[in-house]
Amino acid sequence: MLYPIDTISRQVKELNSIWRFKLDNGEGMKNKWYEKELTNTIKMPVPASYNDIYEDEEIRDHIGLVWYEREFIVPESWKNMRTVIRIGSATHNAKVWINGKKVLEHIGGYTPFEADITNELLWTEKNRITIAVDNILDFTTIPIGEVQTRSNKYKKLKYYFDFFNYSGIHRPVKLYCTPNQYIKDITIKTDIQQKLGYVEYSIEKHGGYNLEVDIIDENNQIIARGSGEKDIITINNPILWEPGRGYLYTLKIRLLNKDNKMIDVYDEKFGIRTVKVKDNQFLINGKPFYFKGFGKHEDGYVNGRGYNEVMNVKDFSLMKWIGANSFRTSHYPYSEEIMRLADEEGIVVIDESPAVGLNFNLSTTEDDYINLDTIERLTFPNTWNVVKCQGNHIKVMKELISRDKNHPCVVMWSVANEPASEEEGAYEYFKPIVDLIRQLDNTRPITIVEHNGSIPVNSRVADLVDVVSLNRYYGWYISSANLDYAEDLLRRELLWWWDLHKKPVIMTEYGTDTIIGLTSTTASMWTEEYQEKFLNIYHKVFDEMNFFVGEQVWNFADFATAQEVGRVEGNKKGIFTRQRKPKRAAYLLKERWHNITDYYYK
Ligand code: BDP
């Protein structure tokens, strides 16, 4: 799926602004709110989560549909063009109407969706766009969730993940136009052999005749040419895309008509690099790479999970300051804009799907244990017997790969975070998904992030993946306040993984909740000293093992979660606070990571 850009044949018009907004308590669809202008609305910025904008718990904790609406005008010059409406993301499900007519419906809160609306447009007056966004999750959606009702009236949206269920139109809404015959999609794969770079492309087009393809370097020089819908172009001595140096070439594509006149132009940036897992190593450009960085969140004050360009640039600055070279898009695909930034900045990304919390035994709170209404003690069923989300999981993997396949920053697909991979049925659930990913993209390794209860002998998915990714909390949730024992457990488990599976291991999460300014001469839980001591112990163990290829601390910054015991205004495992102030551990990591090279550390 192509990202909307301006070229000499295309134009983009952003519809980001203040929209009219309204909560729906069950009336909207019945009364066809999309048919006329909404009444009794309040103002709502787009893109943003709606939850934290107003001083109102009803808005913050709303369950169900909300409505957005605004007007727009399409320039006359677009009259003979194809006009598309594109929403970067709406969490979790959305329906879109143009002038009262439904044009689009999308399930899934973190991937873009679009529709050709050429035939719906009014040219002499304003057009109205209405978007209804639903934040309800169920056992068919990714991620899963459920609306729990107690005493027939108290409702709660129960979700099985540890981040606030921010909702709304989270990413830019754009209108764009293309010619009626146009470039539809581009896939670029690269390879390197000795001094030669190979750029293999394939183009999908709608109409048109010939295609002209140029490769342009960062000095704007044409350095090679291809032709037709598919080609492999050879480049002598290419400048490689490397961690820390995001060199990008541009594939400039021109679609021509029969008379060789240009119809459509699209520029797709790409990097020349390879990724491979070999024995105990993760290779980028043939060299053993070591991941240093974080699991992150798209999360911030007021904006919530809404696209925040300022924050993205700030976060990359902090990542460079601290010596990080990578992050994981825990626990959902991030904006296309941050992926483009990571390409440019040379930041390595593990690209994760929104399949988080497919694990009933992990994500429970006290009120899940007993239901007073029925005097029933709830038990936790086998996850794979209950969830019905494999179809949507497959759908979102297709959408993610189609969106991100050409990003050099993406070096691995993460299929899920902490699923019940030790439970019977996990293999059967994941095998078709992993097979499909390999079929869609044969250039990147695959991982599934394992929770603490999934260990080398009981994981049913370890055989499916290329890299073992572990989230471990020895010294926090397990062996709390006993870091000596935590060290022993960690060492034993890591060695066990290698012995049994012979795959490189990455720690995709390790960390402690830490309140900035809470200190103690004797390291105790929640203090800054404890966070430091915990990290030091983990690092000591990591450094002993040559199959251990990366450390990503949980989390880059403190972030909002559902209100829960054990969460003090959110999760405090950040190395930075939510305002991006460094905790003491930031300096420890800075010291360590600036002394670890991207390549050949192991
Ligand atoms: C892991 C989850 C992550 C949580 C973290 C924690 O993958 O989303 O935020 O634990 O408890 O299980 O801090």
Side-chain angles (χ1 to χ4, degrees), residues 162 331 417-418 471 473 477 509 554 559 567 571 573:
D162 182 34
H331 295 307
N417 180 70
E418 300 196 342
N471 294 350
Y473 289 95
Y477 296 120
E509 284 185 29
W554 191 251
F559 58 92
R567 292 287 175 263
N571 187 309
K573 293 195 185 69

Side-chain angles (χ1 to χ4, degrees), residues 75-83 118 123 177-181:
E76 269 272 315
S77 57
W78 289 24
K79 227 171 177 170
N80 297 316
M81 306 283 277
R82 165 182 166 263
T83 299
T118 317
W123 294 97
C177 69
T178 72
N180 291 311
Q181 303 185 54

